[in-house]
Amino acid sequence: VARDPDCVFCKIIAGEIPAAGVAESDLAIAFMDIGPIAEGHTLVIPRDHYETVMDMPPEVVADVYGLAARVARAIKASMGCEGLNVLQNNGACAGQVVGHVHVHVIPRDSGDGIAWPWPSTEAEPDRLASLAERIKSGMNEA
Ligand SMILES: [Zn+2]
């Protein structure tokens, strides 16, 4: 198992730091977030240390997101929430605090008071087409 000795999530996987475990799969584990945005907020992480979603091999991405979907179904069934956010931040500028990739599964209900601070904008179709071309050109290296 690839491990970063300074990583708090690697320490959880090694059993050196306690966590309230929820589920496991071949390549991932799920446990309760210690700073929950809502009750039931759960994290899903790969067993091996990868910093971002872009660093994970496809089979690890599939396993982590497969477990995240199972956890989301379990939270909805057991906690009775109306919906959930499944979020994953990459880089400090995007709100990533721990440098070991993690998927947030957050139960949501109407009127739960959790703000969604992202502003939405209106894009011109020409601009969308040009951005699509730009990203397509990056797919060669992806
Ligand atoms: Zn780690």
Side-chain angles (χ1 to χ4, degrees):
V1 172
R3 175 174 180 189
D4 176 339
D6 299 322
C7 171
V8 65
F9 287 172
C10 285
K11 288 178 181 170
I12 286 174
I13 288 161
E16 294 165 10
I17 293 177
V22 170
E24 298 191 24
S25 62
D26 288 348
L27 304 178
I29 67 164
F31 56 92
M32 305 308 294
D33 192 311
I34 60 165
I37 291 169
E39 275 217 313
H41 182 170
T42 303
L43 299 178
V44 180
I45 68 173
R47 292 180 188 271
D48 285 348
H49 182 90
Y50 300 100
E51 191 168 343
T52 74
V53 71
M54 295 162 281
D55 303 314
M56 289 191 289
E59 64 273 18
V60 179
V61 174
D63 195 281
V64 167
Y65 275 88
L67 184 58
R70 282 179 56 212
V71 166
R73 286 191 289 272
I75 290 172
K76 193 164 194 302
S78 62
M79 305 211 34
C81 56
E82 291 171 41
L84 303 104
N85 289 115
V86 177
L87 299 173
Q88 192 268 312
N89 305 325
N90 298 283
C93 66
Q96 184 176 12
V97 177
V98 176
H100 181 133
V101 63
H102 50 289
V103 178
H104 297 267
V105 184
I106 306 167
R108 298 298 309 273
D109 285 295
S110 303
D112 62 15
I114 297 169
W116 189 254
W118 295 346
S120 71
T121 59
E122 213 161 293
E124 295 294 328
D126 287 353
R127 181 66 182 150
L128 295 180
S130 108
L131 287 167
E133 287 306 315
R134 186 167 163 185
I135 294 168
K136 277 190 214 171
S137 74
M139 292 301 290
N140 299 327
E141 285 99 61

Short mmCIF file of all heavy atoms in Angstrom, two decimals, residues 2-11 13 45-51 98-101, ligand 1:
data_model
loop_
_atom_site.label_atom_id
_atom_site.label_comp_id
_atom_site.label_asym_id
_atom_site.label_seq_id
_atom_site.Cartn_x
_atom_site.Cartn_y
_atom_site.Cartn_z
N ALA A 2 0.64 2.12 -0.96
CA ALA A 2 1.38 3.38 -1.03
C ALA A 2 0.89 4.29 0.08
O ALA A 2 -0.30 4.52 0.23
CB ALA A 2 1.15 4.03 -2.39
N ARG A 3 1.83 4.82 0.85
CA ARG A 3 1.47 5.54 2.05
C ARG A 3 2.34 6.77 2.23
O ARG A 3 3.53 6.73 1.91
CB ARG A 3 1.66 4.57 3.23
CG ARG A 3 1.43 5.23 4.51
CD ARG A 3 1.45 4.29 5.69
NE ARG A 3 1.20 5.19 6.80
CZ ARG A 3 1.29 4.88 8.06
NH1 ARG A 3 1.58 3.67 8.41
NH2 ARG A 3 1.05 5.78 8.96
N ASP A 4 1.75 7.86 2.73
CA ASP A 4 2.50 9.07 3.07
C ASP A 4 2.55 9.13 4.60
O ASP A 4 1.51 9.22 5.25
CB ASP A 4 1.78 10.30 2.48
CG ASP A 4 2.45 11.60 2.88
OD1 ASP A 4 3.20 11.63 3.89
OD2 ASP A 4 2.22 12.61 2.20
N PRO A 5 3.75 9.06 5.20
CA PRO A 5 3.86 8.97 6.67
C PRO A 5 3.30 10.20 7.39
O PRO A 5 2.98 10.11 8.58
CB PRO A 5 5.37 8.83 6.91
CG PRO A 5 6.04 9.25 5.64
CD PRO A 5 5.07 8.99 4.53
N ASP A 6 3.17 11.32 6.69
CA ASP A 6 2.66 12.53 7.33
C ASP A 6 1.16 12.74 7.11
O ASP A 6 0.61 13.77 7.51
CB ASP A 6 3.41 13.76 6.81
CG ASP A 6 4.90 13.67 7.12
OD1 ASP A 6 5.25 13.19 8.21
OD2 ASP A 6 5.71 14.07 6.25
N CYS A 7 0.50 11.79 6.43
CA CYS A 7 -0.89 12.00 6.02
C CYS A 7 -1.86 11.46 7.08
O CYS A 7 -1.79 10.29 7.47
CB CYS A 7 -1.13 11.30 4.68
SG CYS A 7 -2.85 11.28 4.18
N VAL A 8 -2.78 12.31 7.52
CA VAL A 8 -3.74 11.92 8.56
C VAL A 8 -4.67 10.80 8.07
O VAL A 8 -5.04 9.91 8.85
CB VAL A 8 -4.52 13.16 9.06
CG1 VAL A 8 -5.39 13.76 7.96
CG2 VAL A 8 -5.37 12.81 10.27
N PHE A 9 -5.03 10.80 6.79
CA PHE A 9 -5.92 9.75 6.28
C PHE A 9 -5.17 8.42 6.15
O PHE A 9 -5.74 7.35 6.42
CB PHE A 9 -6.56 10.15 4.95
CG PHE A 9 -7.64 11.19 5.11
CD1 PHE A 9 -8.21 11.79 3.98
CD2 PHE A 9 -8.11 11.59 6.35
CE1 PHE A 9 -9.20 12.75 4.11
CE2 PHE A 9 -9.11 12.55 6.48
CZ PHE A 9 -9.66 13.13 5.35
N CYS A 10 -3.89 8.47 5.77
CA CYS A 10 -3.09 7.24 5.76
C CYS A 10 -2.97 6.66 7.17
O CYS A 10 -2.98 5.44 7.35
CB CYS A 10 -1.70 7.50 5.17
SG CYS A 10 -1.68 7.70 3.37
N LYS A 11 -2.90 7.54 8.17
CA LYS A 11 -2.84 7.07 9.57
C LYS A 11 -4.16 6.43 9.99
O LYS A 11 -4.16 5.45 10.76
CB LYS A 11 -2.49 8.23 10.50
CG LYS A 11 -1.03 8.66 10.38
CD LYS A 11 -0.69 9.84 11.26
CE LYS A 11 0.78 10.22 11.06
NZ LYS A 11 1.14 11.47 11.70
N ILE A 13 -6.15 4.81 7.90
CA ILE A 13 -6.15 3.51 7.21
C ILE A 13 -5.26 2.51 7.96
O ILE A 13 -5.61 1.33 8.08
CB ILE A 13 -5.70 3.68 5.75
CG1 ILE A 13 -6.81 4.38 4.96
CG2 ILE A 13 -5.35 2.34 5.10
CD1 ILE A 13 -6.36 4.99 3.67
N ILE A 45 -12.42 7.35 0.88
CA ILE A 45 -11.04 7.59 0.44
C ILE A 45 -10.43 6.31 -0.11
O ILE A 45 -10.78 5.21 0.32
CB ILE A 45 -10.16 8.14 1.60
CG1 ILE A 45 -9.93 7.08 2.68
CG2 ILE A 45 -10.77 9.40 2.21
CD1 ILE A 45 -8.92 7.50 3.75
N PRO A 46 -9.47 6.44 -1.04
CA PRO A 46 -8.73 5.25 -1.49
C PRO A 46 -7.79 4.79 -0.39
O PRO A 46 -7.29 5.60 0.40
CB PRO A 46 -7.94 5.76 -2.70
CG PRO A 46 -7.78 7.23 -2.47
CD PRO A 46 -9.02 7.67 -1.71
N ARG A 47 -7.54 3.46 -0.32
CA ARG A 47 -6.62 2.92 0.68
C ARG A 47 -5.19 3.40 0.42
O ARG A 47 -4.42 3.61 1.35
CB ARG A 47 -6.64 1.40 0.65
CG ARG A 47 -7.97 0.82 1.13
CD ARG A 47 -7.91 -0.72 1.06
NE ARG A 47 -9.21 -1.32 1.31
CZ ARG A 47 -9.65 -1.65 2.53
NH1 ARG A 47 -8.90 -1.44 3.58
NH2 ARG A 47 -10.84 -2.20 2.67
N ASP A 48 -4.83 3.56 -0.85
CA ASP A 48 -3.51 4.07 -1.20
C ASP A 48 -3.54 5.60 -1.22
O ASP A 48 -4.59 6.20 -1.47
CB ASP A 48 -3.08 3.56 -2.57
CG ASP A 48 -2.64 2.10 -2.54
OD1 ASP A 48 -2.45 1.54 -1.43
OD2 ASP A 48 -2.51 1.51 -3.62
N HIS A 49 -2.38 6.20 -0.98
CA HIS A 49 -2.30 7.66 -0.94
C HIS A 49 -2.20 8.24 -2.34
O HIS A 49 -1.21 8.03 -3.04
CB HIS A 49 -1.09 8.10 -0.11
CG HIS A 49 -0.98 9.59 0.02
ND1 HIS A 49 -1.58 10.28 1.05
CD2 HIS A 49 -0.39 10.51 -0.77
CE1 HIS A 49 -1.33 11.57 0.89
NE2 HIS A 49 -0.61 11.74 -0.21
N TYR A 50 -3.24 8.96 -2.76
CA TYR A 50 -3.22 9.78 -3.97
C TYR A 50 -3.68 11.17 -3.55
O TYR A 50 -4.57 11.29 -2.72
CB TYR A 50 -4.19 9.24 -5.04
CG TYR A 50 -3.90 7.83 -5.49
CD1 TYR A 50 -4.63 6.78 -4.98
CD2 TYR A 50 -2.90 7.58 -6.42
CE1 TYR A 50 -4.37 5.47 -5.38
CE2 TYR A 50 -2.64 6.27 -6.83
CZ TYR A 50 -3.38 5.23 -6.31
OH TYR A 50 -3.12 3.95 -6.72
N GLU A 51 -3.08 12.18 -4.16
CA GLU A 51 -3.43 13.53 -3.73
C GLU A 51 -4.77 14.00 -4.30
O GLU A 51 -5.59 14.56 -3.58
CB GLU A 51 -2.31 14.51 -4.13
CG GLU A 51 -2.50 15.88 -3.48
CD GLU A 51 -1.27 16.77 -3.62
OE1 GLU A 51 -0.17 16.25 -3.92
OE2 GLU A 51 -1.43 17.98 -3.44
N VAL A 98 -7.16 18.19 3.32
CA VAL A 98 -6.26 17.05 3.50
C VAL A 98 -5.79 16.58 2.12
O VAL A 98 -6.62 16.35 1.24
CB VAL A 98 -6.96 15.90 4.26
CG1 VAL A 98 -6.05 14.69 4.37
CG2 VAL A 98 -7.39 16.37 5.65
N GLY A 99 -4.47 16.44 1.95
CA GLY A 99 -3.91 16.10 0.64
C GLY A 99 -3.95 14.62 0.30
O GLY A 99 -3.00 14.07 -0.25
N HIS A 100 -5.03 13.96 0.65
CA HIS A 100 -5.30 12.55 0.30
C HIS A 100 -6.73 12.58 -0.24
O HIS A 100 -7.65 12.95 0.49
CB HIS A 100 -5.17 11.68 1.56
CG HIS A 100 -5.38 10.20 1.38
ND1 HIS A 100 -4.54 9.25 1.91
CD2 HIS A 100 -6.36 9.50 0.75
CE1 HIS A 100 -4.98 8.02 1.61
NE2 HIS A 100 -6.10 8.16 0.91
N VAL A 101 -6.87 12.23 -1.50
CA VAL A 101 -8.16 12.42 -2.17
C VAL A 101 -9.31 11.84 -1.34
O VAL A 101 -9.18 10.75 -0.77
CB VAL A 101 -8.12 11.83 -3.60
CG1 VAL A 101 -7.90 10.34 -3.59
CG2 VAL A 101 -9.36 12.19 -4.38
ZN ZN B 1 -2.68 9.59 2.64
#
